[in-house]
Amino acid sequence: MTPSGTISVVIRVRNEGPALRKVLCALEAQDVKPLEIVVVDNASTDDSRVAALQHSAKIVEMPQGEFTYGRALNVGIQQARGEFICILS
């Protein structure tokens, strides 16, 4: 069976470098690959951005003072191009 539609994955992070790497590796191992991965970064000071870039994710910056969980998701979804959205946190 061939899946139809495209999937964008939206991940919101703040200083989650090790966990983000695990998630991104797991996404790469999936049979159905996402069209894109959008990482909404809430002013991380660790290597979260480096991890996202190493896995070709699109990074959307969100200043710490503007962050709320809902807003981060809305910003990520607005940047996504897929027909379907998979939200991870």
Side-chain angles (χ1 to χ4, degrees):
M1 179 169 104
T2 304
S4 61
T6 56
I7 301 167
S8 293
V9 176
V10 175
I11 307 170
R12 56 185 181 206
V13 299
R14 181 156 195 263
N15 295 331
E16 295 290 343
L20 181 60
R21 277 193 174 76
K22 288 180 184 178
V23 168
L24 295 172
C25 287
L27 287 170
E28 286 180 359
Q30 298 295 310
D31 290 335
V32 178
K33 307 289 188 226
L35 169 69
E36 65 186 343
I37 300 169
V38 179
V39 173
V40 181
D41 181 49
N42 178 20
S44 291
T45 56
D46 70 349
D47 65 344
S48 294
R49 291 178 51 83
V50 171
L53 291 172
Q54 288 174 339
H55 291 270
S56 302
K58 177 178 183 177
I59 299 173
V60 178
E61 295 183 34
M62 176 168 276
Q64 189 173 0
E66 295 178 19
F67 178 86
T68 66
Y69 292 107
R71 184 172 184 172
L73 291 179
N74 288 334
V75 167
I77 291 168
Q78 287 172 349
Q79 295 293 316
R81 298 175 295 137
E83 181 180 0
F84 299 100
I85 307 294
C86 174
I87 297 170
L88 303 175
S89 61

